[in-house]
Amino acid sequence: MKVMKRFDINFSYVPVEKLNRLTPNNHQGAVATISPIGFIELEHLVDATLKVVKLLYFLS
C-alpha cells in the first residue's frame, strides 16, 4: 500500500463479494482494473503533426 500511495495509485477496500463479482479466477484478495489505451495509425499521427509543425524528426 505504501508504494501505491507513493505513486498516487488509487485503491479502495471492498468486500470480498465484490472481488468475486469482478473476476471468476483466484484473486487472492486483490483485483486491478485499468483504462483502455487508445491507439492511432502512424500515418494519421504524422499527418496531424505536420499540420502543426514544419519539420518532423524521427529517432530510432
Side-chain angles (χ1 to χ4, degrees):
M1 297 300 174
K2 290 179 185 178
V3 173
M4 291 171 48
K5 287 180 182 179
R6 185 173 59 199
F7 288 101
D8 198 28
I9 298 172
N10 295 325
F11 66 94
S12 59
Y13 296 98
V14 297
V16 69
E17 293 82 14
K18 182 164 184 175
L19 298 178
N20 292 339
R21 284 193 306 268
L22 290 172
T23 179
N25 301 320
N26 181 12
H27 53 69
Q28 297 183 350
V31 176
T33 58
I34 60 171
S35 299
I37 298 172
F39 291 93
I40 185 171
E41 294 289 330
L42 180 60
E43 292 82 10
H44 295 201
L45 177 62
V46 171
D47 290 342
T49 304
L50 287 175
K51 290 178 182 176
V52 178
V53 297
K54 295 181 181 183
L55 188 57
L56 187 60
Y57 293 101
F58 289 94
L59 302 175
S60 63

